Structure formats: C-alpha cells, structure tokens
Amino acid sequence: WACSTTSGWYYSGGGAYPGVSLTCPLPGVPKAVFAAAESRERFETRVTVLENGLRVASQNKFGQFCTVGVLVNSGSRHEAKYLSGISHFLEKLAFCSTAQFGSKDEILLTLEKHGGICDCQASRDTIMYAVSADARGLDTVVNLLADVTLQPRLSDEEIEMTRMAIRFELEDLNMRPDPEPLLTEMIHAAAFRDNTVGLNRFCPVENTDKIDRDVLHSYLSSYFTPDRMVLAGVGIEHEHLVECARKYLLGVEPVWGSGQGRAVDRSVAQYTGGIIKVEKDMSDVSLGPTPIPELTHIMIGLESCSFLEDDFIPFAVLNMMMGGGGSFSAGGPGKGMFTRLYLNVLNRHHWMYNATSYHHSYEDTGLLCIHASADPKQVREMVEIITREFILMAGAVGEVELERAKTQLKSMLMMNLESRPVIFEDVGRQVLATNTRKLPHELCDLISQVKPSDIKRVVTKMLHKKPAVAALGDLTDLPTYEHIQAALSSKDGRLPRLYRLFR
C-alpha cells in the first residue's frame, strides 16, 4: 500500500473521501511526538532508613489520592509472654483519642477535609494502620498516623467500649453461617500448638476484663519501636514522605515512655501437627425460608514453607492448581472451575458442599490446607476424599493444568495490584520482612519458571509431616487422628481397611 491520494474510497451513501493510507502521515500535518516509556527506576519501590531505624518505603502511582500507613512487626504470635488478645484490643482501639485529637470523631473530621478514610488490621504477625486521602494532605496524614501509633490516650472509657465490642465479635464469630474464620483459628492452633502463629488471634473471653492500659503500655514499649516499623506510601513522592517522617516520627517520645520493655519474643514457629475438635450443633446456624443444611466442617493441613523461601512460589502455584470453592458457582473465566478440587471432588461427589484450598505463609513457616463441608453422615467419605487429594498432589502434574494454574496466579496477582491499598500492603509487608520489594514482573518471572518437578518436590517434602486437623460440627463419624495420619501415609489416601470394616 503506497501513500497516495489519487484515488478515492466511497461510502455506501455515495460520498467520497481521499484514499490516504492509515499508516502514512497526513500531508502538511506536523510529525507526531509519541509518549515514551519512563525509566524503570520511576516504578521501583524506594526505601530510606532513618536514624532511629524506621524504614520509609514508597511506590509511585498516578492519581490524585494516596494510601499511607504504618506497619508494625507485631501481632498475636508475639503474645506468649503477655495476656492473649492484646493485638485484638489494639486493632479496636486504633484511631481513637490521641495527644492531639480528643476523640475518634475529631480524627474522622480531620481526614474528611482531605477526602480520607482510615483503617487498622491486626494479623498474626503484623499490625497495620492505614489512611487513604488526597495526596495534598500528606503532611496532615503522617502527623495523624504518628499520633495514633505513638500517642494513643487509651482512656478507661475507650477500653471499656473495646471490651464490649470484642465480646460481641466473639459471640458473632460462633453464630456465623460461614465457619471459615473459626476453622482457620483452629487449624493454626492444631498445627502450631501453643507457640507463635498457633496462638489465638482473637482475645479469649476470660481476658477481656484483664487487659487494661498498663498491660497495653507494657506490650507497646517492647514492640512499637521504630526499628520494628515501616512507614509505607503509594501515590506520593518519596522525598516528601521522608520529609514528613523526619518531622513527625523522628525523636518522638511515645506516651508509654522510652524505657526498654520486656525482651522481644523472637521464637521460631514450631510445627507440631495434631487435631482440634469442637462438637457443635450446626442445625440452626441459618434459619429462614431457605436454611443452610446442617453440615460438618473439616480442615486438614500440612506444613508448607515461609514466604522468604524459594519454595514459596511452587506452593502458591500448587494452591492455585488445587483451587476449589463452594458447590455452587456461576462459572465463567477465572472462577477456577478446572481446578482439581472442582474436577475431582465437587463435580464427582454431589453431596459435598465445599472443598477449598488455602495457603497461609509467614516469615518462618507456612500451612497448606483444604477445607471441606458435608452432611454429618458423610464425614468418613469426605475425609477419605480429601486425604486422597493430598496424596494425588505428589503424582503426575499435567502440563495444561500447570500452565493454567500459573496463568491464573499471575492474572490474580496483577489484578490485585491494580488497587492502590493492595500495593500499599504489599510494599509495607515486603519491606517489613526483607527491607526490599520484589516487583510484580519479577514475581511473574518466578511463577513462569515453576516446573512439574518443583510441584512434586515440595509436595513430597510436605507429606512427610504430621497432619493438622480441625473439625467442627457433629463429629460422631469422624475418623480418629491416627487413621487420618495413616491415610496420608498410604499410597491412595484411603483410610485403613479395618477402620472401614468396623465403622
């Protein structure tokens, strides 16, 4: 196709226009200047360490709003020397009155001027205070975050309100139709009995009246120190964030004083395996015109690896390959309808209501588990089916299913990282653990490199461990822990023959 205007093209209506090729510049029009890709450095996470040990990390992102927050290397795993439930209390007490702000309402009104919202989440290993607001209000936001983390008033009234909120949450937890949060607690407690990530994430009812300001200050003095904190921001200039950090977080005397608290608990997670059973009447969990049928819930898990290890990526691919979900799904692309737990379990055993794979990973350990739900009379068959799936993980891995799992994992990763708050949490958690951050394209390269032999290797290593089991509901027909352990040690995942004969 030459660039020519000698001929014309005709519309269906009969009109004509010059026959200029779309690949050639128009005559007499200035040459177009196209936007060039900026250097990769602009998109890398920048980290600065202040004199007091506080790390400041930022990631540039186009937009008017920013997400900024403080992440603290502190959580329920560090409560061995304290009353269990302190992190739960701190989560509920976040963004209440401080040295500068007289009440939570004052904080919310201050944020409202910058279109801001705030949130705090406490997990087993991290407490995260976050604010999303207009980037022009960065100075105000960092000032507020510094006050919330280092100068909370923790008034008697606020502590009493927190006790009430926690009691209500604990009641609600036991009444929810979805048992997943409760089962997650139980499987961690079974896998890491009485240590680190096996410690209760929720405050036990008996501790709600024992936790007061003195207990909280004692804990804060040990764990809320600058060297255990990261100030992370997304959507702001790094230099501006560092400037605000120096202004509000450097040389600040916390409300609990600068004296050294108890020694920090640096215990490494010890995987124990074991079983935790909770007999519970689930027949009236969800009443109404279409009540949920009575179900028994089982979760079986095995130790995987830390997110700092190379095997973390193969385990993430394995988890995606297992997939699963509820017995009902609208289907469609990306719903995981071709994962093993759908194809091998839910599609073949219509009486199973749920079969889902989960992977929990921490800085020194991990847990890969499968949650399954069925009628109480089908518990034995359900356990046998799930143990068989664990055994089959070590078998042949199809090239198609592996590529599908890798593609789905990369897709999910990139989709999640479209969200600014997710980028913030990713930046904060990675810098808190490793002082640096692997970028999405690096993670995608690592995912692409996973081979069938990698899956087989990590599964073989995992199957040598004792299982962790959590069981909730009517457990009359639940096999013993020894039988479940024997099934996982067998070649086909079946329960011992004598057990099947005499049930």
Side-chain angles (χ1 to χ4, degrees), residues 391 467 481-491 493-496:
I391 299 296
Y481 178 74
E482 289 72 25
H483 285 126
I484 296 171
Q485 192 172 359
L488 281 167
S489 304
S490 67
K491 290 182 180 178
R494 292 172 71 83
L495 293 164

Side-chain angles (χ1 to χ4, degrees), residues 450-472:
V450 175
K451 304 182 187 68
S453 58
D454 295 320
I455 301 294
K456 189 162 186 174
R457 175 175 50 80
V458 298
V459 171
T460 304
K461 186 168 72 172
M462 179 176 72
L463 286 172
H464 282 113
K465 305 287 177 68
K466 287 170 61 179
V469 181
L472 177 68

Side-chain angles (χ1 to χ4, degrees), residues 410-440:
K410 287 186 278 190
S411 171
M412 190 181 75
L413 174 72
M414 300 308 291
M415 188 91 102
N416 286 341
L417 289 172
E418 288 289 310
S419 164
R420 191 183 60 251
V422 173
I423 301 173
F424 155 76
E425 186 171 347
D426 184 50
V427 169
R429 284 183 179 276
Q430 286 203 50
V431 172
L432 196 62
T434 65
N435 297 320
T436 184
R437 180 184 180 228
K438 274 194 175 83
L439 292 174

Side-chain angles (χ1 to χ4, degrees), residues 259-289:
Q260 187 63 40
R262 297 185 201 178
V264 169
D265 184 356
R266 301 189 190 278
S267 303
V268 176
Q270 303 296 315
Y271 181 82
T272 60
I275 186 167
I276 287 186
K277 300 187 286 187
V278 176
E279 288 268 4
K280 189 178 178 187
D281 180 9
M282 307 286 279
S283 58
D284 60 350
V285 164
S286 177
L287 300 174

Side-chain angles (χ1 to χ4, degrees), residues 356-376:
T356 312
S357 176
Y358 295 95
H359 187 219
H360 306 279
S361 200
Y362 305 95
E363 64 181 353
D364 52 0
T365 190
L367 192 64
L368 183 82
C369 39
I370 295 177
H371 168 208
S373 308
D375 186 276

Side-chain angles (χ1 to χ4, degrees), residues 2-10 17-21:
C3 295
S4 170
T5 57
T6 55
S7 61
W9 295 89
Y10 290 88
Y17 63 92
V20 179
S21 167

